[in-house]
């Protein structure tokens, strides 16, 4: 028993007091054996890691130091992979040893709360795919493409180094701490660790930020599919394909994940090929050529239906499909880059790296590059997944490093491949595609003239090149196809046609990439809407307990409608924004996402301090400090900057004055209605920025207070309040990584010999 600061007594169940069942084999590899395996460095092992370090060092040297007129794309692949391997093998081990300290003798919530619905022991390989599918949305695809405006080096450094020191740290810690708390959500953990003020601020901020995140994800889909009959048909077909897969797996062939995924992949390829055929017909072109507003309304309706359907019917099969597609395509692209070895002509630091008036997005390199690459390096959205479904499915505590830290490294690799694809195309083509129509004029002639007027070194694009590129990829036009997704598709098609098929295959590869991106993003829209609904139900449930029953359909439908309506309004605002929705909204998305990361890291800091991990608090404090400085600086600039291209309120004042002066057009707005839309949108975006930053500052301050209190209590010998679930002895075992170690294989063999009546059911492959 120990006295708490509030005077209450609490029984602390120590891990040493866990008594295993004597009839069962050990549920954990002996610590001494684990330690011996870690410290055993054979000559072969030393040679492998020396080679990895050397290759990584050479790659970074080629990217950052030897910067000639061109740089070969293979160095991006080698630099990223080598850095990830070193970060996972060494840095994540430090976190495991000194902060999380997992104990496989403890049962996870998936074991002691097993209900066959939310809490299910899931094979680590399947769970890795599920987690990766859930966290990898539009961010790692779109952010790096937009950030390429600044040159290739700033984004490359932030994506690779940022994920090792920040993004993967956040995902791993949130996943582990949530698992230890029975799978509690980030908001619930904030209320426990930061008190009423900090916890309430975190809950409100999380709900509002979710609205912005889902809206921007949907906006990327709209921009990719607008006026593209091929894309609309192919992506639309993914819905009945996913429904078929759900029914097939549920009723026809239960448990046959690989089988249904292969069938789904074949159907996807048929949808892409069929999309090209349909788009060339008169009726197909007429029926599937939709404007952006129509597509936006379609996504809003889809979002509502997808969020209320059973998980097994749409979300789960889309996860299977998208995981195979995501990892497969990225590995295929990396292989193509190594074989084709494209030369990158984009400078390390572009002309816009030192300016605030970039056409793709406004603002200086610091802080806006770090919020533009909103995922791939650090993403607050991941904290919602890491404290949502994943902690309820983990088999053993030591698997959290693979799922949390390793899953985020995989997403970072997606971001690097997206960056390479974007910078592999002609620079003039890049700016013609990613700048709003108000600047490019919308035609190949006006776009070419405008791009050439920017004075970019080595850029002299012609209308013929723009028209030819559109023909090659099977589109009417690629001018001002903002949002990042079309640019990534063109870049992927440009590389892949050199690898397989030649120019004749560019249209296939382009629409394959659009399909690939849509699967990425729709998964996040589906999952994000559902998570947002759960969060709103839990929040309302504090006042009306019935809402906490997620199976209560009226509450589920009402909360889904509220959240879909909220992000749908923001989506429509972005689609109709005369300034180019993605250009003005993406910074807000990035800032909101990184502020959410700061909130998550604040909660982790307070928990780590209470675990007496004082010497290694810098592991959490370093990314938290960086995220806080970047996002608060970016927020203040968006709120207070006098430059209309940067500051929301400055932009609002400029357009309001133009309206007051009786002007009928101003800047990029060519009508009075468009000018009024800018005034309305910038006011909403400005006040959202104010709300986000104020709530985040409250959370960060309360976390610092909680951390200081934990340090003071430790010095005075006062026991801390433990919000972890009581330790329960485990009755199961599974290895921690993809490939079991010799000691793990021996232990698995012992468990396989166990009589069936003494063994828990094997983990699910759902």
């Amino acid at each position: 028993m120990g006295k708490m600061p509030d005077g209450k007594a609490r029984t602390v169940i120590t891990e040493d007091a866990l008594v295993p069942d004597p009839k069962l084999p050990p549920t954990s590899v002996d610590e001494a054996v684990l330690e011996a395996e870690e410290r055993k460095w054979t000559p072969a092992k030393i040679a492998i890691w020396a080679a990895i370090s050397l290759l990584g060092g050479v790659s970074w040297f080629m990217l950052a130091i030897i910067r000639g007129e061109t740089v070969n794309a293979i160095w991006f692949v080698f630099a990223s992979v080598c850095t990830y391997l070193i970060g996972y093998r060494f840095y994540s081990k430090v976190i495991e040893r000194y902060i999380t300290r997992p104990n496989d003798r403890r049962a996870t919530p998936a074991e002691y709360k097993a209900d066959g619905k939310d809490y299910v022991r899931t094979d680590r390989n399947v769970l890795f795919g599920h987690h990766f599918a859930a966290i990898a949305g539009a961010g790692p695809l779109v952010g790096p493409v937009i950030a390429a405006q600044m040159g290739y080096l700033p984004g490359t450094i932030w994506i690779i180094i940022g994920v090792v020191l920040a993004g993967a740290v956040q995902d791993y810690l949130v996943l582990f701490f949530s698992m230890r708390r029975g799978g509690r959500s980030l908001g619930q953990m904030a209320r426990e660790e930061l008190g009423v003020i900090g916890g309430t601020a975190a809950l409100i901020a999380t709900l509002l930020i979710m609205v912005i995140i889902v809206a921007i994800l949907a906006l990327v889909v709209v921009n990719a599919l607008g006026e593209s009959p091929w894309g609309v048909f192919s992506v639309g077909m993914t819905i009945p394909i996913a429904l078929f897969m759900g029914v097939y797996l549920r009723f026809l062939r239960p448990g046959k994940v690989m089988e249904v995924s292969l069938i789904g992949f074949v159907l996807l390829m048929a949808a892409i090929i069929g999309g090209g055929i349909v788009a060339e017909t008169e009726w197909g072109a007429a029926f599937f050529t939709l404007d952006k507003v129509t597509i936006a309304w379609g996504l809003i309706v889809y979002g509502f239906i997808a969020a209320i359907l059973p998980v097994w019917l749409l979300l789960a099969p889309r996860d299977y499909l998208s995981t195979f597609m995501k990892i497969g395509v990225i590995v295929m692209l990396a292989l193509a880059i190594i074989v084709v070895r494209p030369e990158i002509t984009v400078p390390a630091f572009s002309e816009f790296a030192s300016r605030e008036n970039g056409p793709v997005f406004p603002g200086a390199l610091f802080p806006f590059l770090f919020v533009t690459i909103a995922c791939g390096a650090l993403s607050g959205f991941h904290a919602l997944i890491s404290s949502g479904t994943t902690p309820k499915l983990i088999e053993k505590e030591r698997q959290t490093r693979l799922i949390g830290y390793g899953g985020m490294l995989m997403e970072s690799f997606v971001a690097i491949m997206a960056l390479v694809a974007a910078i592999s195309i002609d620079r003039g083509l890049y700016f013609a595609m990613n700048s709003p129509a108000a600047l490019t004029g919308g035609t190949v002639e006006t776009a070419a003239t405008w791009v050439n007027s920017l004075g970019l070194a080595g850029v002299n694009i012609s209308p013929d090149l723009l028209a030819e590129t559109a023909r090659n990829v099977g589109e009417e036009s690629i001018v001002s196809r903002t949002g990042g997704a079309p640019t990534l598709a063109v870049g992927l098609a440009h590389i892949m046609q050199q690898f397989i098929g030649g120019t004749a295959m560019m249209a296939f590869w382009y629409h394959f990439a659009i399909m690939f991106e849509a699967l990425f993003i729709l998964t996040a829209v589906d999952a994000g809407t559902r998570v947002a609904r759960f969060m709103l139900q839990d929040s309302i449930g504090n006042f009306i307990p019935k809402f906490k029953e997620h199976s209560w359909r009226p509450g589920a439908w009402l909360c889904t409608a509220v959240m879909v309506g909220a992000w749908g309004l923001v989506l429509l605002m972005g689609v109709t924004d005369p300034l180019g929705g993605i250009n003005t909204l993406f910074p807000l998305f990035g800032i909101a996402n990184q502020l959410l990361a700061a909130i998550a890291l604040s909660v982790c800091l307070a928990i780590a301090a209470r675990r007496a991990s004082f010497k290694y608090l810098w592991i959490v404090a370093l990314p938290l400090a960086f995220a806080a400085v970047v996002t608060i600086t970016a927020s203040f600039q968006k709120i207070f900057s006098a430059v209309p291209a940067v500051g929301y309120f400055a932009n609002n004042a400029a357009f309001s004055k133009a309206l007051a002066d009786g002007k009928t057009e101003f800047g990029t707005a060519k009508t009075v209605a468009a000018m009024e839309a800018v005034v309305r949108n910038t006011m909403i975006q400005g006040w959202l920025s104010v709300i986000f930053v104020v709530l985040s500052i409250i959370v960060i301050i309360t976390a610092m207070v909680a951390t200081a209190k934990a340090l003071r209590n430790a010095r005075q010998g006062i026991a801390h309040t433990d919000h972890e679930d009581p330790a329960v002895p485990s009755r199961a075992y599974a290895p921690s990584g993809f490939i079991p170690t010799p000691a793990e294989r021996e232990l698995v063999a012992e468990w396989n010999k166990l009589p069936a009546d003494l063994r828990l059911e094997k983990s699910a492959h759902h």
Side-chain angles (χ1 to χ4, degrees), residues 212-279:
I212 296 296
I213 288 174
V214 178
I216 301 301
L217 294 176
L219 182 57
V220 173
V221 177
V222 171
N223 284 344
L225 300 182
E227 310 295 338
S228 174
W230 190 339
V232 169
F233 175 85
S234 298
V235 172
M237 287 301 296
T238 65
I239 298 171
I241 290 172
L243 292 172
F244 164 75
M245 290 174 62
V247 172
Y248 187 94
L249 201 60
R250 179 81 169 187
F251 300 111
L252 302 179
R253 299 276 286 172
K256 303 295 183 180
V257 177
M258 184 62 71
E259 181 179 304
V260 77
S261 297
L262 289 173
I263 294 172
F265 179 76
V266 171
L267 292 175
L268 272 183
M269 294 302 100
I272 297 173
I273 296 168
I277 297 170
V278 169

Side-chain angles (χ1 to χ4, degrees), residues 137-139 142 206-224 292 295-297 299-300 303 381 384 482-483 521-530 532 562-577 580-590 592-593 684-685 688 692:
V142 176
T206 302
L207 271 172
L208 289 175
I209 288 170
M210 275 297 292
V211 170
I212 296 296
I213 288 174
V214 178
I216 301 301
L217 294 176
L219 182 57
V220 173
V221 177
V222 171
N223 284 344
K292 292 183 179 181
I295 296 173
W297 277 109
L299 273 179
I300 291 169
F381 178 71
L384 304 180
T482 56
I521 298 164
L522 286 177
T523 299
V525 171
D526 295 347
T529 302
R530 192 175 286 263
V562 169
M563 297 310 296
V564 169
W567 68 253
L569 285 174
V570 178
L571 170 62
L572 290 169
M573 181 177 74
V575 169
T576 58
D577 188 353
I582 201 74
N583 304 72
T584 53
L585 277 175
F586 204 83
L588 180 61
F589 162 75
N593 193 37
I684 293 171
Q685 292 157 2
L688 281 174
F692 290 161

